[in-house]
Amino acid sequence: MHVCAMSRRNIRGLTWSVISRLSGVNRLGRRRHYFKRELCTQEPQDLKQLFMRHLTSRIKANGPLSVAEYMKEVLINPVTGYYINNEVFGQSGDYITSPEITQMFGELIGVWCIHEWQQMGKPEKLQIVELGPGKGTLAADMMRVFSQFKEFNKAVSLHLVEVSPTMRQRQSEALTGVMTPEDTSVDNLTQKTKYGPEVHWHRFLEQVPNERSCFIAHEFFDVLPIYKFQKKDGEWHEILLDIKEGGGLRFIMSRGPTTNSKAFLTHISDSDERDHVEVSPESGTTIQKMSERIWDQGGRALIIDYGHDGTKTDTFRGFKDHKLYDPLENPGSADLTADVDFSYLKRCCGEDVKTFGPVTQNNFLNGMGIGVRLQVLMQNADDNTRKVLMESVRRLMHPREMGEAFKFLAIAPKDTGYVPPGFSPITCHNEQKSK
C-alpha cells in the first residue's frame, strides 16, 4: 500500500509538471500474398472484381479459407489490401482512434513513459517502440511531451514498426514537419524529428534493436489474424470461408476437428463454458517476443485495445464509414477486426514478466490525471473550443463510448515492486460521492 501510494503521488507530481510545461500549448509486417501481375494495371473497381476472383480461385484450388488467411488477404494484400489502398483514419476514413480525438490521450501516454523511465533508474538510452502507429498522431503527441524534459529527450529514440509505405509518409510528416523522403518503404529508414530524437522505421519487430524499450501498441492487436472455432457435440470445429451459391462468400463449419483447432485451443480448459472461441496465434507470438525483450533488457509495454478477459465469443466484424459492415462483403473495402482476448495475451507473456490489468480506459486516463489536463486546456479556450474539449473527453471516458470498451494492459519485469500509474483502482471519486 505504501509503495502504491508513493507511485500515485509521483505520477500526480509528474502530470502537474508536464501540464505546467505544456500549458502554452493498428502494423507489423506479415507474409505477403502475391497474385496475377495484371492486377497492377487495373482500375479500382476492376481490382475489387479481380481480387474476388483471386479469392474464389484460391478456394476452388485449395479448399475453404481459414478466417486468418482471409484477414491477411483482405488487409495487407500488396495490391488490393485495405491498409494499402484506403484512407483508414479520421472523419474521411472508416474509424477514429483516441489519439485523433484529442491531444490529451497521447500526452498522458507520454507522461506514463517518462514515469516508467524514472522508475527504471533513468537509463541513458530508452527506445519508444510503437507497433502500428497509424498517421503518427500518438507518436507526435508523446514526442512533444518528451521534448519538455531535456534529460529524457536526450535518452530516447523512437522506433515505428509499420508495413505500409503510405502510412510511413503520414508518420514522417507528423514527426518531422517536412516533406517525406522519396522512398519510405526502405527498411530501417531513419530521420531526425522536429522534437530532437531520431525516428527509425522497421517492417518487422525483429528489426528493432534488442535494447531496453517501452513498447506501445494502440489498436494493433485487434487486426492481427484470428482463427474461429465452434464447439459441436463436444468437439471443436473450425469456422471457414467458402463460396456460396450464386457467388460471394459464406461461413461454413469444418466437418470435424482441424489441424488448427488441435494446435490453437490447448489453452481452453474443460470448465470454459463458451461454445465459440477466437484465437490469434500471431498476437500470442508478438507479445511473447515483447515479453522476452523486457525480461532480457528491461523496459515496459503498454497494450491498448478494445477487448475482453476471455469471456466473449463471436466478435469478428467489419467497419466502413464509421459503421459496422459485413466482413464478407466487398473484400478489401472495409476494415476487419476482432476483440482482443487479454487473458490469452497474459498467458502468452510467460512467467518471466509481470502483467497489470487489463483496466478500462476510463480507469487508466482518470489515474493519469486527464481531468487536470482538461482544466488547464480550458482556461484560455473560447466557448467553442471548450465544447470540443468536453466532447472529446466524454468520448474517451463515457462507458457507452470508449470508456469501458477499451482496455489497458501493462507488462514489466518480474521484480517490479509497484503498480504502474493508471492501473490502481479508481476509488476516491466514488467514495467522496457516496459521502
Side-chain angles (χ1 to χ4, degrees), residues 349-414:
C349 286
E351 298 180 354
D352 294 323
V353 295
K354 195 172 184 179
T355 60
F356 302 87
V359 298
T360 65
Q361 179 161 290
N362 181 294
N363 191 109
F364 181 88
L365 295 180
N366 262 322
M368 291 300 301
I370 192 172
V372 176
R373 180 61 177 143
L374 174 63
Q375 290 174 10
V376 172
L377 289 176
M378 292 182 67
Q379 284 178 0
N380 298 317
D382 57 34
D383 290 343
N384 184 61
T385 302
R386 289 186 178 189
K387 290 180 181 179
V388 172
L389 289 169
M390 290 293 293
E391 173 61 17
S392 298
V393 171
R394 188 192 71 81
R395 291 184 66 180
L396 292 182
M397 305 292 283
H398 197 283
R400 294 183 181 178
E401 295 281 351
M402 296 178 166
E404 297 291 337
F406 278 80
K407 308 293 195 300
F408 283 65
L409 175 73
I411 307 172
K414 193 174 183 179

Side-chain angles (χ1 to χ4, degrees), residues 36 38 46-58:
K36 296 184 179 180
E38 61 179 328
D46 295 332
L47 280 177
K48 291 181 181 179
Q49 295 174 357
L50 285 170
F51 182 51
M52 191 65 192
R53 192 186 309 166
H54 162 66
L55 289 174
T56 55
S57 296
R58 276 197 65 184

Side-chain angles (χ1 to χ4, degrees), residues 90-272:
Q91 293 291 349
S92 60
D94 290 322
Y95 59 90
I96 297 179
T97 63
S98 295
E100 306 293 334
I101 292 175
T102 174
Q103 68 187 62
M104 288 180 278
F105 185 87
E107 289 172 353
L108 294 179
I109 301 300
V111 172
W112 192 89
C113 293
I114 296 170
H115 177 273
E116 294 305 288
W117 172 73
Q118 292 175 341
Q119 294 296 318
M120 296 176 206
K122 298 184 178 181
E124 292 184 0
K125 291 184 178 181
L126 179 67
Q127 299 180 148
I128 302 297
V129 182
E130 186 179 359
L131 311 181
K135 294 196 298 186
T137 305
L138 175 58
D141 288 339
M142 289 193 297
M143 295 297 286
R144 190 176 65 255
V145 171
F146 299 162
S147 68
Q148 307 300 312
F149 295 82
K150 292 183 179 180
E151 189 179 3
F152 182 80
N153 210 44
K154 183 179 179 180
V156 76
S157 62
L158 179 63
H159 295 258
L160 303 181
V161 182
E162 176 61 69
V163 67
S164 169
T166 302
M167 286 294 101
R168 287 188 180 198
Q169 288 182 331
R170 293 288 189 89
Q171 295 151 16
S172 177
E173 290 174 355
L175 292 164
T176 68
V178 297
M179 295 296 292
T180 58
E182 293 182 3
D183 187 4
T184 54
S185 64
V186 177
D187 285 346
N188 300 314
L189 175 70
T190 299
Q191 288 183 280
K192 187 84 168 181
T193 70
K194 59 187 176 182
Y195 305 101
E198 290 184 336
V199 54
H200 310 263
W201 279 271
H202 314 276
R203 285 181 49 79
F204 306 99
L205 178 59
E206 291 80 1
Q207 294 174 333
V208 178
N210 187 19
E211 299 176 6
R212 190 191 301 263
S213 302
C214 184
F215 298 95
I216 306 295
H218 178 256
E219 290 202 53
F220 168 77
F221 283 95
D222 63 282
V223 298
L224 294 188
I226 62 164
Y227 293 86
K228 292 174 68 67
F229 304 100
Q230 183 80 37
K231 183 180 282 188
K232 180 181 179 182
D233 298 329
E235 285 190 318
W236 286 104
H237 301 250
E238 186 172 358
I239 302 298
L240 304 167
L241 279 87
D242 201 357
I243 305 168
K244 67 181 179 182
E245 188 175 348
L249 300 172
R250 60 170 181 154
F251 290 114
I252 64 168
M253 185 186 297
S254 65
R255 295 181 179 179
T258 63
T259 301
N260 293 330
S261 65
K262 295 176 181 178
F264 299 143
L265 291 176
T266 55
H267 65 289
I268 301 296
S269 65
D270 294 336
S271 60
D272 196 313

Side-chain angles (χ1 to χ4, degrees), residues 33-36 39-41 47 76-81 84-85:
H33 301 275
Y34 292 90
F35 56 99
K36 296 184 179 180
L39 285 175
C40 298
T41 60
L47 280 177
I76 60 170
N77 185 290
V79 177
T80 61
I84 306 300
N85 294 296

